[in-house]
Amino acid sequence: MPGFRVTERSMASNTLANLQVNLARNQQLQNQLSSGKLITKASDSPGGAVIAMQHRADVATLNQYSRNADDGMGWLDMADTALKSASTQMNRARELVLSGLSSGSGGSPEAREAIALEVDNLRDSMINLSNTTYLDRPIFGGSTPGTIAYDKNGDYQGDDGKINRTISGNATVRVDTGAEDVFGPEAGNGNVFKLLGSIADHLRNNPSGLQSDLAEVDTAQKRIQAGLSGVGSRYNQVSEMQQTAQNRVLDLKAQLSDVEDIDLPKTITELALQQTAYQAALAATAKVIQPSLVDFLR
């Protein structure tokens, strides 16, 4: 096997190259320790970098779902509050109808007028509730850009649009509440505002008509209760999906940490060993590379 000649120059070159590798590893460990990251650029670990980028993209998506859920719960919470108040108002309207039926046509006009005035106030209050807004948008107005769902006459000013929020990769929930679903269709006494107006008119002019109004009040109350139940169901769905998204974010952040964060005790130990090895290499190099003729000619 033919040999090869080892010269002072080749020894110096090889030694310096090895020291450079040692220094590079030293610097890498110092960078990891100062940044707290195993991966600061894609070349540090191409596979790990791809996984880290995917985890970050997933976290960003899940955080957006969580923000959507927050907004959706805001809409639904306002609807829940408004419908609970509307249910209370309808209970009071029923009591007033029963009071009017008890007094009947034999009661004094003044007493019926007092009841009718309270019904008028209930009607105005219900219209105000129907115009409840969230972020300046009426929650019962569909997707209307306007600020009210019903005018002072109880006529609908909204549209048939729906407000949806995407809360997961495969779940979109409606967060507004259909006006007709809770306040009844515009035509006929099924509409709660027209019903209350009819009750006030019957109290003043036709007490016998209150009997049919009582049945309509019960129907209106059932409709509001059904709407309230639907809002509660959607709120629970959105809340559960938000919790799922938040839990998944925690899992992904833990996985991301496993991929790119350093093991602090291990890295400190490796750096100490690497520095010791570098110092030993310097000492060995000083012994291996002897003074050359040039050193004696200085």
Side-chain angles (χ1 to χ4, degrees), residues 10-280:
S10 66
M11 287 178 62
S13 297
N14 290 335
T15 300
L16 288 174
N18 291 332
L19 287 175
Q20 188 64 39
V21 170
N22 203 311
L23 273 175
R25 177 58 180 161
N26 217 324
Q27 183 181 23
Q28 181 186 34
L29 287 170
Q30 288 176 339
N31 288 339
Q32 289 176 356
L33 198 58
S34 61
S35 67
K37 301 293 182 183
L38 284 172
I39 303 173
T40 55
K41 55 185 182 295
S43 60
D44 291 338
S45 173
V50 170
I51 294 172
M53 286 190 291
Q54 183 60 55
H55 284 346
R56 283 199 176 88
D58 291 343
V59 167
T61 299
L62 289 166
N63 282 335
Q64 183 60 57
Y65 290 151
S66 185
R67 288 191 291 272
N68 292 348
D70 272 333
D71 183 66
M73 286 190 291
W75 281 82
L76 294 168
D77 190 55
M78 291 300 295
D80 182 79
T81 300
L83 291 177
K84 284 178 179 176
S85 296
S87 179
T88 300
Q89 303 280 33
M90 290 308 297
N91 282 336
R92 180 56 183 162
R94 192 177 196 282
E95 292 173 0
L96 294 174
V97 171
L98 289 173
S99 179
L101 284 171
S102 298
S103 61
S105 57
S108 68
E110 291 79 8
R112 294 200 305 274
E113 178 62 24
I115 298 173
L117 285 174
E118 186 171 352
V119 172
D120 287 338
N121 289 334
L122 285 177
R123 182 178 179 276
D124 292 341
S125 179
M126 288 289 283
I127 290 176
N128 287 335
L129 288 172
S130 73
N131 287 321
T132 299
T133 60
Y134 178 71
L135 300 178
D136 296 326
R137 297 182 66 181
I139 60 176
F140 301 109
S143 58
T144 177
T147 57
I148 62 171
Y150 288 90
D151 63 19
K152 64 181 181 179
N153 297 317
D155 295 325
Y156 189 57
Q157 303 300 305
D159 56 32
D160 295 328
K162 297 180 180 179
I163 307 297
N164 297 315
R165 292 292 178 264
T166 301
I167 56 174
S168 76
N170 55 8
T172 299
V173 176
R174 182 180 182 183
V175 297
D176 71 310
T177 302
E180 287 195 357
D181 294 338
V182 290
F183 299 115
E186 286 197 77
N189 283 345
N191 178 277
V192 69
F193 312 114
K194 291 182 171 60
L195 172 60
L196 292 171
S198 173
I199 292 171
D201 180 65
H202 287 159
L203 282 165
R204 291 183 173 103
N205 304 306
N206 181 22
S208 62
L210 292 172
Q211 190 62 54
S212 62
D213 289 336
L214 183 62
E216 293 287 347
V217 167
D218 289 340
T219 300
Q221 178 68 292
K222 290 178 182 177
R223 185 184 296 113
I224 291 173
Q225 287 295 325
L228 191 56
S229 177
V231 166
S233 176
R234 284 180 285 152
Y235 186 96
N236 289 338
Q237 180 186 3
V238 173
S239 179
E240 289 172 4
M241 293 302 295
Q242 183 187 48
Q243 188 60 54
T244 298
Q246 291 173 344
N247 291 341
R248 180 59 180 153
V249 166
L250 293 177
D251 291 341
L252 285 172
K253 286 184 176 180
Q255 294 172 24
L256 184 60
S257 177
D258 291 340
V259 170
E260 65 177 12
D261 289 352
I262 64 170
D263 182 333
L264 186 58
K266 179 181 177 182
T267 305
I268 292 174
T269 301
E270 285 186 6
L271 180 59
L273 291 173
Q274 190 66 37
Q275 289 174 336
T276 300
Y278 181 63
Q279 294 299 325

